[in-house]
Amino acid sequence: MAQFDKADLERRMKGAVESLKGDLSGLRTGRANTALLDPVTVEVYGANMPLNQVATVSAPEPRLLSVQVWDKSNLTPVEKAIRSAGLGLNPIADGQTLRLPIPDLTEERRKELAKLAGQYAEKARVAVRNVRRDGMDSLKTDEKKGEISEDERKRSETEVQKLTDSTIADIDAALAHKEKEILGQ
């Protein structure tokens, strides 16, 4: 049975783009948005968990995020995770709640956010390239097993490369849109 599955490769590449869009939506452009904390993971109970599984995140004011930690013993790890996430936020502890004032976007901060967006995009590109490699490897395996001919393999490799190129173009377009939004152009 042939291992190559173009539909699966397409699904995985689209998943990388969707993941990138989710990460980019977390980068703020001036207002408090709970999605800003989506990439934050907290080390609690001996495992890394998304912030939304240990606390409630809300935006009570346009320039303030509030993180209500469910277990008081997790307050310090949550605070540490937010500080180390590279989002430029400094939590202020208030009982079991962390208040995160959203600073004004300075030119320097805008450049930092654009750089972070670029890092997210590069991670997505790497994920797409890994999917391409998996597809190429399965095509070579199928050819060695005699399930497909060399011509079929080459034709399919061309299709995989076209799919990869179009997916990377989608990633670049999403990045360009977010950078334009961040830099206020």
Side-chain angles (χ1 to χ4, degrees):
M1 168 107 188
Q3 289 182 343
F4 179 71
D5 183 2
K6 184 179 176 191
D8 182 55
L9 295 178
E10 216 169 312
R11 179 190 58 77
R12 290 170 56 197
M13 286 185 185
K14 295 286 182 233
V17 173
E18 292 307 312
S19 176
L20 170 68
K21 288 180 180 177
D23 288 345
L24 291 179
S25 73
L27 294 178
R28 70 182 183 84
T29 55
R31 288 186 43 129
N33 181 352
T34 57
L36 177 63
L37 297 176
D38 284 351
V40 176
T41 58
V42 185
E43 190 173 332
V44 290
Y45 309 122
N48 282 330
M49 302 175 82
L51 179 63
N52 63 7
Q53 291 185 6
V54 295
T56 303
V57 180
S58 62
E61 297 174 24
R63 314 280 279 145
L64 180 73
L65 285 174
S66 176
V67 179
Q68 178 71 39
V69 182
W70 300 329
D71 184 352
K72 193 170 187 166
S73 65
N74 293 336
L75 189 68
T76 305
V78 168
E79 185 176 359
K80 182 180 172 189
I82 292 170
R83 284 186 198 277
S84 65
L87 299 171
L89 300 174
N90 291 317
I92 301 167
D94 181 16
Q96 257 181 272
T97 303
L98 293 172
R99 301 204 185 288
L100 304 165
I102 306 294
D104 288 332
L105 282 178
T106 62
E107 188 63 28
E108 180 183 323
R109 183 70 186 132
R110 288 177 191 272
K111 287 179 182 175
E112 284 177 28
L113 288 172
K115 184 177 176 183
L116 189 58
Q119 290 172 353
Y120 288 160
E122 187 54 34
K123 272 199 285 188
R125 285 187 204 103
V126 168
V128 168
R129 287 187 209 113
N130 286 338
V131 172
R132 177 187 63 191
R133 185 196 62 228
D134 292 346
M136 298 294 195
D137 289 349
S138 68
L139 283 169
K140 288 174 185 167
T141 302
D142 289 348
E143 183 188 11
K144 283 180 183 170
K145 288 180 179 176
E147 295 174 358
I148 62 172
S149 67
E150 182 180 352
D151 288 344
E152 285 178 273
R153 176 185 57 85
K154 288 183 178 180
R155 198 172 15 260
S156 294
E157 282 179 349
T158 303
E159 288 178 29
V160 170
Q161 188 58 49
K162 284 180 183 173
L163 179 62
T164 302
D165 293 342
S166 75
T167 305
I168 287 182
D170 291 347
I171 290 170
D172 292 342
L175 174 62
H177 177 72
K178 191 63 177 187
E179 284 178 335
K180 184 176 179 184
E181 192 179 308
I182 290 171
L183 298 173
Q185 297 171 339

